Amino acid sequence: MGGIEATSLRLLGKLDQLMPMRLRRKATALHAVTLSLRGNMPPLVDAGLLSEIATACRDARVLRFGYRSHAGDASQRHVQPLRLANYGRRWYLIAWDTDRSDWRSFRVDRIDRARTTGESFVPRPVPADVATRLERGIAYEPFACRITLRLQGSVDELQAVLPVWCGVLEPETATHSLLRVGADSPESLLAQVLMIGRDVELVEGEAMAPALQQVLSRMGALLGAAPAAAG
């Protein structure tokens, strides 16, 4: 841990001891239940809403809220909240939807008037297949630009060497895995692929090929116009 990070943690620890218990619990709730799936960036949602949801996750309290889907459809949700996931500037709530008897992920900026009902619950474990589905729903499916790549190596081997923001890993065979990569633009998508640093094979997403070729052409023109290095 770097010196700045260590100093910050010590200062936060001292401030935490000085805060009243009620405020201390609110201030620490978000840190306690957050999963960071991509680099830290300023959130696009209300801090009070995040605090309310985080406290419900930590204290295992049932939540009710209005929700607007990607298509704009409105509904009322009744959930057992488990974790908040931070992916770039987006926040997601991972929860058991009691009305649908299934796990769901909810974009926090689409949640309206979240409030606890007073009911408590025993948090249930997330099965591995459900965890993969939820991860795809956060780190892959919401993005306009998506491809699926084949890499040599098992999921466990690749997870040990690839950054989590590269995409969602899934097993394919005993010797190869699939990596589902999503991004907001062809430029970002290509950058993620290049930073994998391994040989890959395109399995899905052939429709993205022309846009990626255009990005590569621009880079080729840039490098061709660059002055030659002095010998």
Side-chain angles (χ1 to χ4, degrees):
M1 178 179 294
I4 293 178
E5 290 174 303
T7 301
S8 297
L9 288 177
R10 286 196 298 269
L11 288 173
L12 287 173
K14 292 178 181 178
L15 288 173
D16 186 66
Q17 295 172 12
L18 296 174
M19 293 173 69
M21 180 59 69
R22 178 179 62 84
L23 295 179
R24 187 187 309 171
R25 286 175 60 81
K26 283 185 173 293
T28 57
L30 185 61
H31 174 73
V33 301
T34 297
L35 304 174
S36 183
L37 301 183
R38 187 168 284 213
N40 294 327
M41 295 178 68
L44 287 176
V45 297
D46 179 72
L49 176 60
L50 280 177
S51 177
E52 183 75 22
I53 296 173
T55 301
C57 290
R58 185 198 59 196
D59 297 343
R61 297 290 180 178
V62 173
L63 271 179
R64 282 191 181 275
F65 53 82
Y67 191 70
R68 174 177 48 84
S69 70
H70 177 73
D73 299 324
S75 61
Q76 291 294 317
R77 299 302 182 103
H78 183 218
V79 307
Q80 296 176 356
L82 181 68
R83 287 289 187 272
L84 279 166
N86 170 228
Y87 195 78
R89 300 188 70 186
R90 293 174 178 169
W91 287 85
Y92 293 84
L93 167 64
I94 298 171
W96 174 261
D97 191 320
T98 58
D99 295 326
R100 292 158 179 78
S101 297
D102 196 7
W103 289 100
R104 290 288 191 272
S105 62
F106 303 93
R107 265 181 57 172
V108 175
D109 59 310
R110 294 177 180 162
I111 291 177
D112 180 47
R113 298 180 183 178
R115 60 195 182 279
T116 57
T117 66
E119 304 172 69
S120 61
F121 63 92
V122 177
R124 63 189 74 201
V126 183
D129 60 327
V130 174
T132 299
R133 173 165 61 86
L134 291 172
E135 188 178 8
R136 286 185 60 181
I138 293 173
Y140 174 72
E141 292 173 358
F143 293 97
C145 303
R146 299 179 296 185
I147 57 174
T148 300
L149 306 173
R150 178 179 290 117
L151 290 81
Q152 185 173 1
S154 67
V155 169
D156 288 341
E157 292 169 347
L158 293 171
Q159 281 180 337
V161 295
L162 293 182
V164 67
W165 46 259
C166 277
V168 181
L169 279 166
E170 298 176 11
E172 184 185 33
T173 67
T175 58
H176 288 77
S177 301
L178 298 177
L179 180 67
R180 303 191 185 275
V181 185
D184 290 319
S185 67
E187 291 81 1
S188 296
L189 186 66
L190 185 59
Q192 287 180 227
V193 174
L194 291 174
M195 285 187 284
I196 293 171
R198 289 171 171 252
D199 292 336
V200 297
E201 177 186 352
L202 183 64
V203 178
E204 297 175 2
E206 291 84 356
M208 286 299 307
L212 295 176
Q213 287 287 357
Q214 289 181 4
V215 178
L216 287 172
S217 295
R218 293 202 305 270
M219 290 302 300
L222 173 65
L223 294 175

